[in-house]
């Protein structure tokens, strides 16, 4: 959880509801089900910083954290059809 996964083949979703490239959400996962979710205040090239539990611990942005007691947050799962990294 909250690992940098873009160095490996991964699936990434970017959500920028207002189209400003500011305060957009990013979610990544790979075939090993390693995940990384974060919020960027602005693009890295413009001096932006990552807000995530990887950087700020329990105080960071986390879409996978359960909210309000028993209510579950977002979840991740994968299905593979063979051995990973063995073509």
């Amino acid at each position: 959880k909250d690992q940098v996964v873009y160095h490996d083949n991964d699936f990434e979703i970017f959500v920028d509801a207002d189209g400003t490239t500011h305060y957009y959400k990013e979610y990544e996962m790979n075939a090993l089900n390693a995940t990384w979710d974060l919020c960027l205040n602005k693009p890295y090239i413009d001096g932006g910083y990552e807000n995530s539990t990887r950087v700020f611990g329990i105080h960071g942005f986390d879409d996978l954290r359960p909210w309000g007691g028993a209510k579950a947050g977002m979840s991740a799962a994968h299905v593979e059809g063979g051995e990973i990294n063995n073509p």
Side-chain angles (χ1 to χ4, degrees):
K1 168 136 176 51
D2 282 334
Q3 305 172 46
V4 175
V5 296
Y6 63 81
H7 295 295
D8 301 319
N9 290 329
D10 69 337
F11 181 77
E12 302 182 15
I13 298 172
F14 299 86
V15 180
D16 182 9
D18 58 7
T20 63
T21 69
H22 288 71
Y23 295 101
Y24 71 87
K25 311 314 188 271
E26 184 175 334
Y27 177 78
E28 303 181 22
M29 73 178 290
N30 66 17
L32 298 173
N33 206 30
T35 62
W36 187 22
D37 61 315
L38 60 125
C39 176
L40 284 176
N41 66 328
K42 56 186 173 181
Y44 290 123
I45 197 167
D46 294 333
Y49 66 87
E50 168 193 340
N51 180 346
S52 74
T53 55
R54 187 179 77 84
V55 175
F56 295 113
I58 64 169
H59 302 291
F61 173 81
D62 188 358
D63 260 346
L64 300 176
R65 180 184 310 139
W67 307 296
K71 185 177 178 184
M74 191 167 59
S75 62
H78 74 288
V79 175
E80 56 195 67
E83 294 180 47
I84 296 175
N85 295 327
N86 188 10

